[in-house]
Amino acid sequence: MAATGYAGEEGRLQARVDVRGSGEARVDTGIPVLDHLLSLLAENAGFDLTLEVAPEEPEAEVAAAGRALGQAIGKTLRSGDARGHGSAVLPADEALAHVALEASGRPLVVSNVDLSDMGVGGLATDIVARFLNELAEGAGLTLHVRLVEGRDTQHVLEAIFKALGVALAQSVRPRRKD
């Protein structure tokens, strides 16, 4: 299954993911920094991503975006052909992040990243933790996020989303047939 979609309540959100895409993203969450991070995820995953969220409170938009993306990707992960796990370490300038994930069916996020006191682009970065939790919940992922190094909040978030994209791309690859 290459393309999957998810439509939320009352047409409030739409998500479409083509895991065999070229890394193109059309993202409109109403939060520019989240749009940028999701575009990085799509580019590094090689997914074509369309995600639209009707404007609400930022926290609700972030949660809806994470859940919709997770549910769209989860369909591919549950198809039976997907590898179901992935891991990547990627940099963004001085920041280096490691993301490992498994389609375990037991949603969980384990992270050593605490950015709750910092903001970037008008987005409270603890809302990014909410996005990751909703993504894990929607896709049924056990998600480990490790910050190896990083001082600049924007670079830390970019490294995390780039690594997440590569790990997701690995997880949806077809299983090897021996």
Side-chain angles (χ1 to χ4, degrees):
M1 175 186 294
T4 58
Y6 173 78
E9 71 254 11
E10 301 170 15
R12 196 176 93 59
L13 63 112
Q14 300 287 327
R16 183 164 173 77
V17 178
D18 183 348
V19 298
R20 310 278 188 267
S22 61
E24 304 232 354
R26 287 190 308 272
V27 180
D28 185 11
T29 64
I31 303 171
V33 68
L34 183 60
D35 295 350
H36 169 68
L37 294 171
L38 290 173
S39 294
L40 282 175
L41 183 151
E43 177 184 335
N44 284 275
F47 293 170
D48 287 345
L49 171 62
T50 302
L51 181 64
E52 296 176 17
V53 181
E56 268 193 22
E57 292 296 313
E59 187 170 337
E61 291 173 18
V62 167
R67 173 76 55 152
L69 182 58
Q71 290 176 340
I73 292 171
K75 291 178 183 179
T76 300
L77 289 170
R78 290 186 295 276
S79 71
D81 293 331
R83 183 175 172 205
H85 57 88
S87 176
V89 178
L90 269 87
D93 294 330
E94 89 294 342
L96 182 66
H98 178 218
V99 173
L101 59 87
E102 178 185 26
S104 64
R106 296 179 306 279
L108 175 67
V109 176
V110 180
S111 175
N112 71 342
V113 182
D114 180 14
L115 302 172
S116 58
D117 292 339
M118 303 173 205
V120 62
L123 178 66
T125 50
D126 60 340
I127 291 179
V128 172
R130 175 85 189 268
F131 173 86
L132 294 173
N133 282 317
E134 292 293 333
L135 174 73
E137 186 70 34
L141 295 175
T142 298
L143 179 63
H144 289 263
V145 179
R146 293 285 176 256
L147 179 62
V148 178
E149 181 66 42
R151 293 172 300 284
D152 181 279
T153 305
Q154 180 74 27
H155 299 158
V156 166
L157 293 174
E158 288 175 353
I160 290 169
F161 275 74
K162 287 165 63 174
L164 177 60
V166 172
L168 284 169
Q170 292 174 2
S171 70
V172 300
R173 282 189 192 144
R175 293 180 190 268
R176 286 181 46 182
K177 309 265 193 232
D178 292 331

